């Protein structure tokens, strides 16, 4: 309708034309894939040389919440096969032929950025840091959503490294 071509499906199984797409977006995806590096390589193969890769809502294993809560971090889950930090995702993306131009932490634009959530996070962080346990059946203290736990990574093909994302 607006001249926009959208493909949706299981990325690793799709037969897509090379250097064809202006944008490849993986939202809530890369950390769930069994072969995330292969997906990044495929993204590089199908994205145009002046295209943009967006890895949206990627878990940041190096976040404040992950460091404080450890095994009680709300995003550590068996369905996540790979965890990234800003450094590791930058390295993986570079090895796949991209250059990261921006990493955002979208927490401040979410419904979780509110006084109730921040108060709960603070009280649980104090409990965890003071070595108080959760319940008798589960001694972990669980985090709430917090700044830096999720990241959006914007990258361009390496030879287009002069581009920026706003």
């Amino acid at each position: 309708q607006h001249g926009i071509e959208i493909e949706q499906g299981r990325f690793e199984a799709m037969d897509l034309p090379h250097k064809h797409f202006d944008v490849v977006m993986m939202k809530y995806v890369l950390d769930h894939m069994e072969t995330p590096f292969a997906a990044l390589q495929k993204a590089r193969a199908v994205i145009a040389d002046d295209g943009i890769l967006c890895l949206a809502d990627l878990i940041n294993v190096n976040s404040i919440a992950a460091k404080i809560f450890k095994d009680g971090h709300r995003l550590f889950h068996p369905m996540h096969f790979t965890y990234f930090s800003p450094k590791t995702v930058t390295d993986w993306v570079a090895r796949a032929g991209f250059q990261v131009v921006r990493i955002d932490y979208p927490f401040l634009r979410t419904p979780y950025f509110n006084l109730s959530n921040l108060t709960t996070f603070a009280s649980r962080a104090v409990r965890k840091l003071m070595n108080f346990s959760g319940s008798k059946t589960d001694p972990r203290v669980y985090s709430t959503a917090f700044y830096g736990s999720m990241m959006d990574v914007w990258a361009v093909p390496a030879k287009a490294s002069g581009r920026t994302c706003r």
Side-chain angles (χ1 to χ4, degrees):
Q1 176 180 347
H2 298 286
I4 298 172
E5 178 184 347
I6 298 174
E7 297 286 339
Q8 182 177 340
R10 189 173 171 89
F11 186 64
E12 52 273 36
M14 296 174 74
D15 184 23
L16 301 170
H18 283 260
K19 296 191 177 203
H20 178 75
F21 295 95
D22 296 320
V23 177
V24 172
M25 170 163 291
M26 296 183 196
K27 183 174 177 72
Y28 293 116
V29 169
L30 197 64
D31 36 16
H32 292 273
M33 292 180 156
E34 292 181 9
T35 56
F37 187 69
L40 292 172
Q41 290 176 307
K42 182 167 186 173
R44 182 59 191 102
V46 303
I47 199 167
D49 288 336
D50 61 346
I52 297 171
L53 171 68
C54 179
L55 306 173
D57 298 304
L58 190 64
I59 297 168
N60 177 8
V61 73
N62 203 31
S63 70
I64 293 168
K67 288 179 179 181
I68 292 173
F69 291 93
K70 298 178 181 19
D71 65 339
H73 182 39
R74 65 188 288 275
L75 298 174
F76 291 162
H77 189 276
M79 289 188 65
H80 296 136
F81 298 128
T82 308
Y83 293 98
F84 297 95
S85 69
K87 180 181 179 352
T88 59
V89 75
T90 298
D91 291 347
W92 280 47
V93 165
R95 285 183 29 234
F98 292 97
Q99 179 178 355
V100 170
V101 293
R102 182 176 175 157
I103 298 178
D104 290 323
Y105 303 94
F107 174 75
L108 301 178
R109 297 184 307 270
T110 70
Y112 301 108
F113 180 51
N114 61 58
L115 184 58
S116 174
N117 183 69
L118 294 173
T119 302
T120 302
F121 180 89
S123 67
R124 289 182 185 179
V126 168
R127 282 179 46 211
K128 178 66 177 173
L129 293 170
M130 299 293 290
N131 291 319
F132 293 122
S133 65
S135 69
K136 290 180 182 178
T137 57
D138 187 353
R140 291 177 287 189
V141 177
Y142 289 93
S143 69
T144 63
F146 194 68
Y147 181 82
S149 293
M150 302 291 284
M151 56 186 168
D152 295 339
V153 179
W154 300 88
V156 296
K159 70 180 188 176
S161 60
R163 297 198 40 204
T164 60
C165 295
R166 296 180 191 256

